[in-house]
Amino acid sequence: MKSGRPSFHINRRVLISGAALLPALSAIPLTGVAQAQTTTGSSLSSWNDGPAKQAITDFVRATTEQGSPKFVAPEERIATFDQDGTLWVEHPIYSQVVYCLNRVPAVVEKEPKLRNVEPFKTVLSGNREAIAKLSLRDLEKILVATLTGMSVDEFNKEAKTWLTTAKDPRWKRPYTELIYQPMLEVMEYLRANGFKTYIVTGGGQDFVREYSQRVYGVPPEQVVGTAGGTKFGYGNDGKPFLTKEPKLLLNDDKAGKPEGIHLMIGRRPCAAFGNSDGDRQMLEYTGAGEGARLMMLVMHDDAKREYAYGPAQGLPPSKVGTFTQALYDEAKKKSWTVISMKNDWKKIFSFE
Amino acid sequence: MKSGRPSFHINRRVLISGAALLPALSAIPLTGVAQAQTTTGSSLSSWNDGPAKQAITDFVRATTEQGSPKFVAPEERIATFDQDGTLWVEHPIYSQVVYCLNRVPAVVEKEPKLRNVEPFKTVLSGNREAIAKLSLRDLEKILVATLTGMSVDEFNKEAKTWLTTAKDPRWKRPYTELIYQPMLEVMEYLRANGFKTYIVTGGGQDFVREYSQRVYGVPPEQVVGTAGGTKFGYGNDGKPFLTKEPKLLLNDDKAGKPEGIHLMIGRRPCAAFGNSDGDRQMLEYTGAGEGARLMMLVMHDDAKREYAYGPAQGLPPSKVGTFTQALYDEAKKKSWTVISMKNDWKKIFSFE
């Protein structure tokens, strides 16, 4: 764990991704999820036939069919999913970063002396170019100011409100509708076959928990994310409550992902899904277990329907979700499955 | 969280309780648990009729019967149980402390220079009186030496071996058979009515997870305990593994219990069970939620069948599981239910 540190000192990937967790007044009816749980058949209807879809159905058959030499006991069926870029859109900026930037005016209203202090001044200016140039240190300050210092209940309320109102500028929809329909189908298919599906995200744990049930059918207790400490105390009315502290307990990115999985789940997953170098260790850790395994990486190679970035396979590099050629090569060497959004997915969003 | 600290600095209660987690080649057949899940009727057969049993059945009826004004949605049904003194025997010494002391010879064999270094020298002497007088600082050293520095897999293997061989000196049975039968029945009854049962223990999370499924029917991912960090790395064969680090992430005692519940579960429990001042904040936090609530405290007042210690109600004080008169008074004031082992329990252990 990168934890045990007294304050938020995290790399850009995590900081931004730490911001990347964002939910949804989603359009996915929970009844659909429930129905999927009563069947074990594949409903991967948004997937084109091909090696990626085949890898998923082969894995489920091998682990769940009675008599299969690779049968996995139901309680051992754990599947973990990265969120940003794996379950929903992360480009060009993690949604939780947008949330943090949007929260700055409210923070300044509560603490007016911040109005003329950087980086808050720049954020308030609305100058997009200047905001994009903020340093890591500045982003850390914004993260701490907008994600800590309030009660857990206050934070949940604020996040919920934002999620119902904020919209992605390209699709003009709540961020929580920008979920990859094929990945939802994989989650539902796995759950229908007895798997517990977990989100394991560099994004903020409390943030993602606010919408995980509604959007993904994943209950809050199955969200592992970058997590800060809380402090138990009493209000003036004697009522106990928890305050979110600026203390990093779990930096749930890169090596922090297997560490977080051990802390929060205590079992090694049989299947893991990611899309970037931040997910490499989670896939390696998953792959090192015995028995049937499924490791998959979503490759963003569809500039028309979503975005195209890599730099694997010559795709243009991105500040978010970096999928290096080295990771691509490791995937090929270890027989992980690379999902081409362009070729493997019939549709990307449910609203298409 | 008392976390974020670079090393184990914990109070005696936690240290010892941190040692208190210990499992069982248990006699409880899992089929029994599974059967209980198919019925919603009360099978609290080891409970005498009285206010304690009544409080449990009233709570379940209020939260699960359709049309009840206090109905709780199934996904919100969370119940948390302290372990030491609430689910199994903690007196006169937490079982996990015994484990740590028993592990000292193996640690010294690997690192012979410790043989003549305190506190290891005293532990190796076998002088019970001297061992009982070891300072907090010394116990910390033993904890760190025996619970960290090895891979997660090695630790699990060692703990499992000890659990199958070590026996409690009074009952001459594995520690994991010293489970309170009435509490097992409460857990099964709650699960049969849609509750997720969690263990929330000052004991070591990894230790309790080793036997929680077998002994309590609680899967590892539903164990919240005192937790140290791990470090992801690669072996000489290139295979990734996790090493247990001497870094405290969660001190799951007192205020650390609600903090740990938020970190690991992310929902407030509707029901909480404890037996000592270390559980006070968990019960307060549970009680501060809306809707039907159940807070219960096990009082050890049965010297004949188990132990009697308090100091609540004039019972003799104990170094473990301190149940103060102040906690007793708070329970009465807040209508928490105090369970008298002597009066409320027909039998204490399944083997009686």
Side-chain angles (χ1 to χ4, degrees), chain A residues 109 291 304 321:
Chain A
E109 194 163 334
K304 204 177 156 204

Side-chain angles (χ1 to χ4, degrees), chain A residues 1 3-4 196 205-206 209 220-221 230 232 234 239 249 258-259 262-267 281 284 288, chain B residues 1 3-4 196 205-206 209 220-221 230 232 234 239 249 258-259 262-267 281 284 288:
Chain A
M1 221 86 32
S3 329
K196 264 192 183 175
Q205 187 167 275
D206 285 349
R209 282 175 168 173
E221 59 269 29
T230 57
F232 178 87
Y234 302 91
K239 220 177 152 178
L249 289 188
E259 292 162 1
H262 178 69
L263 176 67
M264 306 284 288
I265 311 176
R267 301 186 196 261
Q281 289 87 343
E284 289 173 344
Chain B
M1 222 88 33
S3 329
K196 264 192 183 174
Q205 187 167 277
D206 285 351
R209 281 175 169 174
E221 59 269 28
T230 57
F232 179 88
Y234 303 91
K239 220 177 153 178
L249 290 188
E259 293 162 1
H262 178 70
L263 175 68
M264 307 284 288
I265 311 175
R267 301 186 197 262
Q281 289 87 343
E284 289 173 342

Side-chain angles (χ1 to χ4, degrees), chain A residues 125-339:
Chain A
S125 76
N127 181 335
R128 279 166 177 264
E129 213 168 305
I131 293 170
K133 283 183 188 158
L134 287 175
S135 71
L136 237 192
R137 183 100 192 83
D138 284 337
L139 284 173
E140 276 183 19
K141 284 183 190 164
I142 293 165
L143 209 79
V144 170
T146 54
L147 297 178
T148 71
M150 75 287 287
S151 76
V152 163
D153 291 342
E154 281 170 321
F155 171 79
N156 291 348
K157 202 177 140 201
E158 286 163 6
K160 192 175 234 165
T161 301
W162 185 82
L163 289 162
T164 63
T165 52
K167 288 187 176 175
D168 174 88
R170 175 169 165 189
W171 281 281
K172 317 265 188 286
R173 289 172 179 272
Y175 291 96
T176 44
E177 289 187 19
L178 303 184
I179 308 294
Y180 305 137
Q181 176 63 23
M183 294 306 291
L184 273 185
E185 293 170 5
V186 174
M187 295 180 104
E188 289 171 14
Y189 176 48
L190 286 170
R191 288 195 292 262
N193 284 282
F195 282 84
K196 264 192 183 175
T197 53
Y198 280 82
I199 293 171
V200 177
T201 175
Q205 187 167 275
D206 285 349
F207 193 79
V208 179
R209 282 175 168 173
E210 191 54 42
Y211 57 90
S212 60
Q213 177 72 57
R214 192 180 28 158
V215 173
Y216 301 116
V218 173
E221 59 269 29
Q222 286 168 221
V223 173
V224 179
T226 293
T230 57
K231 194 174 168 56
F232 178 87
Y234 302 91
N236 291 333
D237 55 359
K239 220 177 152 178
F241 68 98
L242 295 169
T243 303
K244 286 172 72 70
E245 297 266 281
K247 198 189 285 177
L248 186 65
L249 289 188
L250 172 62
N251 181 347
D252 198 47
D253 192 43
K254 300 187 192 287
K257 290 207 172 192
E259 292 162 1
I261 287 168
H262 178 69
L263 176 67
M264 306 284 288
I265 311 176
R267 301 186 196 261
R268 192 194 299 264
C270 318
F273 301 78
N275 79 301
S276 80
D277 285 35
D279 304 311
R280 183 166 68 87
Q281 289 87 343
M282 175 169 75
L283 269 65
E284 289 173 344
Y285 180 65
T286 302
E290 284 173 21
R293 303 278 122 185
L294 179 64
M295 281 70 65
M296 302 191 88
L297 286 167
V298 174
M299 185 163 69
H300 294 259
D301 58 356
D302 194 333
K304 204 177 156 204
R305 296 189 299 172
E306 201 241 13
Y307 294 102
Y309 52 99
Q313 299 296 87
L315 294 165
S318 163
K319 278 187 185 174
V320 297
T322 304
F323 187 163
T324 59
Q325 187 61 36
L327 177 65
Y328 186 89
D329 294 342
E330 182 174 353
K332 288 293 151 188
K333 193 178 154 200
K334 295 186 172 168
S335 299
W336 300 348
T337 304
V338 175
I339 299 164

Side-chain angles (χ1 to χ4, degrees), chain B residues 71-201:
Chain B
F71 183 81
V72 174
E75 66 270 19
E76 296 283 349
R77 295 180 196 162
I78 303 282
T80 55
F81 294 80
D82 167 58
Q83 180 185 235
D84 300 302
T86 300
L87 296 177
W88 77 351
V89 175
E90 66 180 347
H91 200 81
I93 181 171
Y94 299 112
S95 310
Q96 201 187 350
V97 172
V98 181
Y99 171 76
C100 291
L101 295 172
N102 287 356
R103 285 293 307 158
V104 166
V107 167
V108 170
E109 193 163 334
K110 269 196 179 171
E111 228 173 314
K113 63 177 178 177
L114 292 178
R115 186 173 302 277
N116 293 307
V117 174
E118 291 297 357
F120 305 99
K121 193 176 164 186
T122 294
V123 175
L124 290 172
S125 77
N127 181 336
R128 278 163 179 267
E129 213 169 304
I131 293 171
K133 283 184 187 158
L134 286 174
S135 71
L136 237 192
R137 182 103 192 80
D138 284 338
L139 284 173
E140 276 183 19
K141 282 182 190 165
I142 294 165
L143 208 80
V144 169
T146 54
L147 297 178
T148 72
M150 73 288 285
S151 76
V152 163
D153 291 342
E154 281 170 322
F155 171 79
N156 291 348
K157 202 177 140 203
E158 286 162 6
K160 192 176 233 164
T161 302
W162 186 82
L163 290 163
T164 62
T165 51
K167 287 186 177 174
D168 174 87
R170 175 169 166 188
W171 283 280
K172 317 267 189 284
R173 290 173 178 272
Y175 292 95
T176 44
E177 289 187 18
L178 304 184
I179 308 294
Y180 305 137
Q181 176 63 24
M183 293 305 292
L184 273 186
E185 293 170 6
V186 174
M187 295 180 104
E188 290 171 13
Y189 176 48
L190 287 170
R191 287 195 293 263
N193 284 281
F195 283 83
K196 264 192 183 174
T197 52
Y198 280 82
I199 293 171
V200 177
T201 175

